[in-house]
Amino acid sequence: MATSVITRKGQVTIPKKIRDEIPLHIGDRVRFVIRDGEVVLKPPPKSILELQGSVEPSRRPEDFDEIRATVKDRRSGKAPENE
């Protein structure tokens, strides 16, 4: 098991064993994901498709015609009917 220490600035050095395994390199970005009380370190998505499902919609299924109409109304200065 690899461990590290958090600095006063909240920084952590990723142990070489972990960097080699993933692999991570100088200048790479990483994402921090909280899952079931644990922090998971992940490389950033390579494409937008990898983000699918990362944001929960307000309701399911989404009504895209309604969303488009709302956006169109707001852009034209009209208030949506349900507000």
Side-chain angles (χ1 to χ4, degrees), residues 1 4-6 15-16 22 27-28 32 35 40 43 45-47 50 53 55 57 60 63 68-69 73-74 76 80 83:
M1 176 191 303
S4 189
V5 176
I6 299 174
K16 182 166 178 18
I22 294 181
D28 286 353
F32 296 90
R35 265 194 218 140
V40 178
K46 294 177 184 158
S47 77
E50 290 182 37
V55 176
R60 289 197 183 264
D63 182 346
R68 287 184 191 97
D73 288 346
R74 288 188 179 172
S76 69
E83 287 188 323

Side-chain angles (χ1 to χ4, degrees), residues 67-79:
I67 292 169
R68 287 184 191 97
T70 301
V71 169
K72 184 178 177 182
D73 288 346
R74 288 188 179 172
R75 285 184 177 169
S76 69
K78 298 178 188 174

Side-chain angles (χ1 to χ4, degrees), residues 51-64 67:
L51 296 173
Q52 183 177 5
S54 62
V55 176
E56 283 293 321
S58 56
R59 62 180 186 266
R60 289 197 183 264
E62 289 290 333
D63 182 346
F64 290 104
I67 292 169

